[in-house]
Amino acid sequence: MRILLLDKNHPLITDQLLDKNFILEEDFTSSYDEVCAKIQNYDGVIIRSRIPLDKNFLEHGENLKFIARVGAGMENIDIPVAEKLGIQLINSPEGNRDSVAEHVIGMLLILMNRLFIASQEVKNGIWLREENRGDELLGKTVGLIGYGNMGKATAKRLSGFGCRVIFYDILPNLSDEFATQVSLEELKEKAEVLSLHIPLTEETHYLIDENFISEMKNDFYFVNTARGKNIETKYLVEALKSGKVKGACLDVLEYEKSSFENLDTSTSLSTRENEDLQYLLNSEKAIVTPHIAGWTHQSKEKLAQVIVDKIVAAFCYD
């Protein structure tokens, strides 16, 4: 099988697939149109997020048997078209679930205990204790939306902090020793921390909007390591200003490029969007990281290994 690698990943992908007699070609620079022009020559594609695999792309790939996404999210792929064309879709959420879960905990601890703020103050000769009094995770009810790989890994860690973890998921009967499944209405009633662990779909685009925030009974901390467009940023900013959202931990932003390589430039944002972005970047009530929750040295290797294992299991007939 001939496989086209469109993004740089851990070298074990190349090493192990070559050992299994797959034919590999790396192309990390060609444009979308250039890749479309040659994709019919390949049986498989391995990608992160560099270019969209839309209807046009997939129809050019008349010989494609699989697409392997090194990561969890599949929104850059036209899934209905791929399924109609019989292209197998592979991803690797198992590979970075632990990284994401630790990132969630880390951001919450930094935000709730004002660790970054206090550290910067001390480094600048400012010694404030009462002003930096923290808020404990112990005893809080944490509501997760989505209970797949990321949600479960996060719940496992939160349980060690003495939290009550509840979650909402569209699939039934997912409760385990770390978290209890509830209705969305019950989650809104009880959660004091809200964390998203969902893909970006038509149903989850702007899931967290003005109405959702207003329906939360408690003032709450908000965490998003999923996708920026799961929440409507202008309403998050309004809620931060009013105090309804006590603080926000954001590893993803609505204003990211589809490749996740950077933010869209301020010139492509409306005046309101730019003001909201600047508020998040400058507010002490928000922690913002550059879409790195799933990026550790360990997860880079694990993501690659999961992809290789799934490809070999499906297409290696030795």
Side-chain angles (χ1 to χ4, degrees):
M1 296 184 71
R2 296 176 60 86
I3 303 174
L4 180 62
L5 289 76
L6 290 173
D7 290 283
K8 293 182 180 179
N9 288 293
H10 196 284
L12 73 81
I13 291 180
T14 301
D15 295 341
Q16 294 186 20
L17 290 180
L18 286 174
D19 285 344
K20 294 293 184 179
N21 297 317
F22 290 92
I23 300 169
L24 307 182
E25 179 182 329
E26 297 177 343
D27 185 346
F28 306 145
T29 59
S30 289
S31 68
Y32 169 88
D33 289 335
E34 290 169 333
V35 176
C36 279
K38 66 177 183 178
I39 193 60
Q40 75 273 7
N41 299 321
Y42 300 92
D43 301 290
V45 172
I46 300 176
I47 191 168
R48 287 204 315 266
S49 305
R50 186 167 71 83
I51 62 174
L53 276 57
D54 56 14
K55 183 175 185 290
N56 176 63
F57 182 99
L58 297 174
E59 289 178 344
H60 276 78
E62 57 193 49
N63 295 309
L64 281 178
K65 297 176 178 64
F66 75 87
I67 296 167
R69 172 27 167 117
V70 183
M74 305 287 275
E75 71 274 8
N76 226 29
I77 303 168
D78 192 325
I79 294 175
V81 171
E83 292 175 343
K84 182 179 179 181
L85 295 173
I87 301 170
Q88 183 171 336
L89 300 178
I90 299 169
N91 65 344
S92 53
E94 305 92 336
N96 61 354
R97 60 189 174 193
D98 298 312
S99 173
V100 169
E102 292 188 12
H103 199 91
V104 170
I105 301 301
M107 287 198 298
L108 278 171
L109 293 176
I110 290 169
L111 180 74
M112 295 172 66
N113 292 282
R114 296 176 59 85
L115 298 182
F116 180 77
I117 297 167
S119 176
Q120 289 299 109
E121 288 176 349
V122 172
K123 290 179 179 181
N124 286 288
I126 302 169
W127 188 273
L128 299 175
R129 298 184 67 212
E130 185 59 38
E131 292 84 351
N132 284 309
R133 190 179 289 274
D135 193 7
E136 296 180 3
L137 270 171
L138 178 66
K140 285 191 169 50
T141 298
V142 180
L144 310 178
I145 299 184
Y147 206 61
N149 283 279
M150 313 304 176
K152 290 177 182 178
T154 301
K156 181 177 181 179
R157 285 156 180 79
L158 285 167
S159 66
F161 283 84
C163 299
R164 180 194 177 206
V165 185
I166 58 177
F167 69 90
Y168 170 77
D169 195 285
I170 58 174
L171 298 178
N173 305 317
L174 297 178
S175 293
D176 58 23
E177 61 185 303
F178 302 115
T180 301
Q181 190 163 8
V182 298
S183 67
L184 192 57
E185 290 70 26
E186 184 174 348
L187 184 143
K188 291 176 182 178
E189 179 183 351
K190 295 180 177 178
E192 299 165 279
V193 179
L194 177 65
S195 185
L196 302 187
H197 302 277
I198 50 179
L200 181 62
T201 66
E202 290 184 5
E203 291 74 23
T204 65
H205 185 270
Y206 287 163
L207 174 66
I208 312 301
D209 57 11
E210 183 178 26
N211 289 335
F212 191 107
I213 293 171
S214 68
E215 290 167 359
M216 293 287 289
K217 180 179 178 180
N218 302 306
D219 295 346
F220 65 98
Y221 295 99
F222 176 72
V223 186
N224 192 5
T225 54
R227 289 293 183 263
K229 288 184 172 61
N230 290 141
I231 182 166
E232 202 162 359
T233 305
K234 62 182 178 181
Y235 297 119
L236 171 63
V237 170
E238 288 179 3
L240 284 166
K241 290 178 178 178
S242 72
K244 180 66 179 180
V245 173
K246 299 166 72 174
C249 302
L250 306 172
D251 183 55
V252 291
L253 290 169
E254 181 181 351
Y255 314 120
E256 287 179 76
K257 294 181 178 179
S258 60
S259 63
F260 311 135
E261 293 176 341
N262 210 326
L263 294 175
D264 280 334
T265 60
S266 59
T267 56
S268 66
L269 302 179
S270 69
T271 300
R272 170 64 189 270
E273 288 172 334
N274 193 49
E275 289 175 353
D276 289 339
L277 175 59
Q278 292 308 312
Y279 176 85
L280 293 174
L281 297 180
N282 291 289
S283 174
E284 289 188 350
K285 298 174 72 174
I287 292 177
V288 184
T289 52
H291 205 130
I292 57 169
W295 285 50
T296 59
H297 297 293
Q298 293 80 7
S299 71
K300 183 176 183 179
E301 180 173 351
K302 288 188 284 186
L303 284 166
Q305 190 64 63
V306 170
I307 285 295
V308 168
D309 291 345
K310 289 182 178 181
I311 293 173
V312 169
F315 298 103
C316 187
Y317 309 112
D318 292 346

